[in-house]
Amino acid sequence: MFQAVNQAIQNKDNPMELFKQVTSGYDDKTKNAFFQQARQMGFSEELITQAQNGINSR
């Protein structure tokens, strides 16, 4: 997953859409674990916050 999002960023694609696709079937507990893992993998807090806000606004 990290590689896919990282590749999307490098290709100037929208990683938010990828986050939305990946997390669309997740419950809140699983989403929180996903984003915690993203933090541990080095994703910026800004990117994670944007992704969480985008997912929650669906």
Side-chain angles (χ1 to χ4, degrees):
M1 179 63 202
F2 175 80
Q3 291 174 341
V5 173
N6 199 30
Q7 186 66 40
I9 292 168
Q10 290 176 3
N11 290 339
K12 306 289 190 236
D13 293 335
N14 185 354
M16 294 307 138
E17 288 304 315
L18 184 57
F19 274 128
K20 287 178 184 181
Q21 289 174 0
V22 168
T23 61
S24 66
Y26 290 3
D27 60 20
D28 287 342
K29 182 178 177 181
T30 306
K31 284 180 190 175
N32 289 336
F34 174 84
F35 287 115
Q36 183 59 36
Q37 186 173 8
R39 284 180 185 90
Q40 293 170 350
M41 296 170 92
F43 285 99
S44 72
E45 195 61 37
E46 179 183 358
L47 179 63
I48 292 170
T49 300
Q50 289 174 2
Q52 287 174 314
N53 289 341
I55 290 168
N56 293 333
S57 68
R58 288 194 255 154

